[in-house]
Every structure is written in structure tokens, then in C-alpha cells.
Amino acid sequence: MKYIQFPLVLLTILMACNFLTACSDDDGGGIPVIHHIRLTDPAKIDSTFTDVNPGTMIVVIGENLNGVKKVFINEQEISFNGNYSTSTNLILTIPADLPLVGANPELKGELRIETSHGTAVYSMHVLSPAPYITRIATKFPINEGDPLRVIGGNFYEIQRIYFTTAQEDITDAPVTVEVTDYTVNKGFDEISFKAPTGLIEEGSLVIECYTASASTPFRRSALPPTINKVSSMMPITGTTVTVLGQNFMDISSITMGNRMVDLSTVTISEAYDVLTFTMPRAPQGTCTLAITTMGGTAEVPGFYPLENIVLNYDNIGSFSWGGYAAAITADGTVAPYFSDGVCYRLAGEITAWNWWWGQLQNTAVWSIDAAFLPASTPTADLLLQFECFVALEYGEGPVFRFYLKGNEGHNYTDYRPLSDFTGETEVGEWMQCSIPLSSLVDEATWGEFQSRSGDELAIQMTNPTEFGPMMVEFYFDNFRVVKAK
């Protein structure tokens, strides 16, 4: 295999450019001139432009460009390689961290090449990042003259702000009413203005910037809420549930089946995109979490999947044996503070190089009704999910090992509990954790696994490292098998 070195490729490009570019001064000693810029790809030799993204390699086409001393873009001197320069071409790379005109409007958007015999200037626009909108901050309903704040980012070089009745595809959308008096903050992440005369009832708000446009749904009355993520689908009674979404304004009710949330426990972020509440008494089974606001109702089906429980230490499954293990019913004064009946603790001092320390050897009930988990469900689509409370911070070393139905050959080891919600080990609060079921079983379907003999759900802690001794304290409850979302 033959290899062509990169500098040789660039020199080849320059030779091609010389061949294809007419030059009126063979010696290159006249006044330097820039005709245009293009990409280095020879296939795009006829594609010229004045707008370019940071980090792009370009070819500058012109006359008398030999003897280059300095190169400036946006009045910032940049480096260049004189080996990639001829009288008619200069190859440059736009620095990825170049100060941009969008954030620094006092800069001149130009390319300036200083040579030994003069200076060439070319109007060139290095593009800012594309704008985006996360929300509109205001009070509803919106009346003409009411203040609005558009929250997002990259609001550079705004060309136009307008409302349109178009709701999905804003390409060539009609401008119903334009906003001409607005303020952009110093961080270019917030635009403030007053609702204009002729404000539409419903449609979209569009921000056109030099680089691109951004839009967001708009309605004079409150937009319907949306739910993106819930901290746990089976929260422990009394704990705080966190919901991420949009438009959590004027909450009128939060329900889960036959239970209602006490609205006095609800908190809402200033951006109306984070909501918390205290988990009431557990629902009687799988239900829908519904949050109703002045704008409508958002729902999460499959909440509190009681029918999918395989072990809860109360009426489904039980603890069999294990060291450093104890049954705990929380009383609100010490960890874990809240529990749904009995949970199990694994706690104590674990030493270094300890291969057999603490165990929760449990008997689980794997006979989930097919109405809630069909036998044909691929195990690759399932999770072993549970609630875990880590009472003490602990360092490197201790890890868990899980296995099911005596299948120690297919165990899940070196596990440290992580919150599904944050991706971190949350200390001092219950968190939902998940392990892919396919990491624990040989079988391809849930039905095949159910047919396997045995009922064990084993959790063992070891410390296969030099770190220790250290104190650890963990609590577990509500093991269930659910479909991955």
C-alpha cells in the first residue's frame, strides 16, 4: 500500500490552483488582491463563499499573494504555513477558538493578508454557533404589552424576530407580526421584549440570526406541560420525586392512579422545567402519573409497576441468608429515613482484599403475570430495577456482584449503585438503579428465563483492592423486572 504524505497533498492542491487560476503578474510583485475563498477539496473548486465555520481549512484565491508576512481574521492574527503559499493561493485554517463578530460586534469581519509589497482585505464572515430556544418566560395569559423573555443560547447577530401562525414547518412561514424593539443580554442567552400589537393566539416564535434560525411553539394561553424524565418510577413513600419537563405552570393536580399528591409539597423551578413533590402513599398497582396545569395534562404510563415486583421483603419474596445483613423498617430519624415496609441493609466495616464480606441471598418470585410482562419479551429489552439508598460516601474498592437463579457463571460484577436519573451515586437519598437483565441471564426471552429452575436473587459485596478498611452502608428494596424505556 502506498501512502501520500499530507504536505504533498497540499502542494498538489496549490499546483492545481495555480494551473486553474489566471495571474496577471508572473512575478507576484504587484498589489496583492483576494478574489475569493473556497474549500481545499478539488471537487469543489468552483464552490466559493464568504461565510465559513471555525475550524475550516480554506484556500484563498487571488493575485500577488507571495511574500506573506501576517494574516488576520476578525482583526486577530492567526498562524499560517508559508510552504502552502504561492502568488495566487494561500491555504489557511480558521482557528476553532477565534473570537467571533457575533459575540464581539466591534470586530471587523474580514480576512486581511499583509505581504512584503502591500495588504489585501476580503470581507469574510466566520459563523457563530446556531441559536436555540429552550423556553419563553412570562405570565399567562399573554396580553399585548406584557413582558416576555426568550431563554436559550447563541442569540448572535439577530436579523429578525417574529411571530407566525405556522406551527411545525417554519420554512418560508408568513410573518404575522414582527418584534422590532428587543434587548439581548450580555451572555447572548436571553432576549427581552414586550408582546407586540397584533400578537397571534397560537403559532411559533422565530428568532432569525445570521447563522441560522430557531423557533419554539407559542400560545397566548399556557402551553401544555411535557414530561421528559422522572427520578424514579417506583419512589419510596415520603421521599422527594423530581420530574424534568416543560411548562409546569399553575399546577392544579398531580395524580397516580388512586393517589393524589399534596400540592403543598410541590416546588417548581423558575424556568418551569423542574418539578418536585413528596411521594404519597403508594398506589395499588401500575398506573399513570398525571400532572395537570393551566395548559393541559402530561402523563407517564407504567408508573409504580407493582405487578412487576419480584422481591420487596414484605409480601413478595424474602431474605434467605447473608453476613452484615439486617431487616430495617425506617422510622424517619436515621437512614434510610423512609421505607415501604421492610427493606434490607448491608452495612459494616469492609477490609482490603476481602473476597467474601457481606451478602443478601434472597428468594425472589419470578412469576410475573404475562399481562404485564409477556413471555416473548427479549431479555435484551428488560432491566432488573430496584431502589437503593447509599448512607455513607465510600471510596474506591468495594463493589457488588449480582447473579440470578444460581447462575454464578453469568454474574454482574464490579457494580457500584448509580442513579438512573443523574448517573451518579447519590448519597443520603433513595435512588432508582437498573442493571440490564441480559447481563445476568443466558436466556434470550423472559419466558425462557422463567422456565429456568431456581428462585435466587443474590447480592454480594467484595473489596478486591488494597483500599480499606472503610465503613459502608446500603439499603435495598422493590426489585422488579421492567421494560427498558
Side-chain angles (χ1 to χ4, degrees), residues 349-354 357 462-465 467-470:
E349 182 180 77
I350 185 169
T351 58
W353 307 117
N354 195 323
W357 180 75
T462 64
N463 184 4
T465 72
F467 303 106
M470 66 184 76

Side-chain angles (χ1 to χ4, degrees), residues 174-373:
V175 178
T176 305
V177 58
E178 187 170 350
V179 177
T180 56
D181 186 8
Y182 58 85
T183 301
V184 182
N185 71 346
K186 292 182 179 179
F188 297 94
D189 57 6
E190 183 176 315
I191 304 171
S192 301
F193 59 87
K194 292 185 177 180
T197 302
L199 184 66
I200 60 175
E201 289 295 327
E202 188 172 5
S204 300
L205 170 66
V206 182
I207 310 292
E208 286 186 358
C209 295
Y210 187 95
T211 300
S213 296
S215 66
T216 187
F218 174 82
R219 196 166 72 177
R220 275 195 168 196
S221 56
L223 288 166
T226 59
I227 298 175
N228 300 329
K229 197 173 185 181
V230 183
S231 56
S232 174
M233 292 294 281
M234 203 167 191
I236 301 295
T237 299
T239 62
T240 298
V241 182
T242 302
V243 183
L244 303 184
Q246 291 288 333
N247 306 317
F248 295 139
M249 292 167 284
D250 290 340
I251 305 295
S252 58
S253 70
I254 302 177
T255 61
M256 50 191 76
N258 61 330
R259 304 295 185 215
M260 294 192 67
V261 170
D262 180 356
L263 295 185
S264 68
T265 70
V266 173
T267 69
I268 302 171
S269 67
E270 181 184 3
Y272 303 109
D273 58 356
V274 181
L275 176 151
T276 69
F277 62 85
T278 299
M279 180 67 183
R281 192 155 57 96
Q284 295 177 338
T286 304
C287 59
T288 295
L289 171 64
I291 299 178
T292 301
T293 72
M294 64 186 300
T297 300
E299 297 182 340
V300 177
F303 190 75
Y304 212 85
L306 184 62
E307 293 82 359
N308 292 60
I309 288 283
V310 297
L311 173 66
N312 66 3
Y313 299 115
D314 293 305
N315 57 354
I316 302 175
S318 60
F319 170 76
S320 297
W321 60 271
Y324 297 96
I328 299 294
T329 301
D331 63 4
T333 62
V334 295
Y337 305 106
F338 301 98
S339 64
D340 287 330
V342 175
C343 61
Y344 255 80
R345 180 181 69 195
L346 200 58
E349 182 180 77
I350 185 169
T351 58
W353 307 117
N354 195 323
W355 301 94
W356 186 252
W357 180 75
Q359 307 83 26
L360 288 177
Q361 302 294 125
N362 306 292
T363 298
V365 179
W366 299 103
S367 55
I368 298 173
D369 192 301
F372 296 94
L373 193 57

Side-chain angles (χ1 to χ4, degrees), residues 335 337 388-395 416-419 422 424-431 473-474:
Y337 305 106
C388 179
F389 186 103
V390 180
L392 302 174
E393 290 191 23
Y394 67 107
R416 294 171 66 94
L418 298 175
S419 165
T422 65
E424 305 289 338
T425 298
E426 302 298 336
V427 178
E429 61 184 75
W430 284 99
M431 59 181 176
E473 185 176 349
F474 303 89

Side-chain angles (χ1 to χ4, degrees), residues 440-451:
L440 292 160
V441 304
D442 298 323
E443 293 76 17
T445 68
W446 172 244
E448 292 171 356
F449 172 75
Q450 283 184 304
S451 298

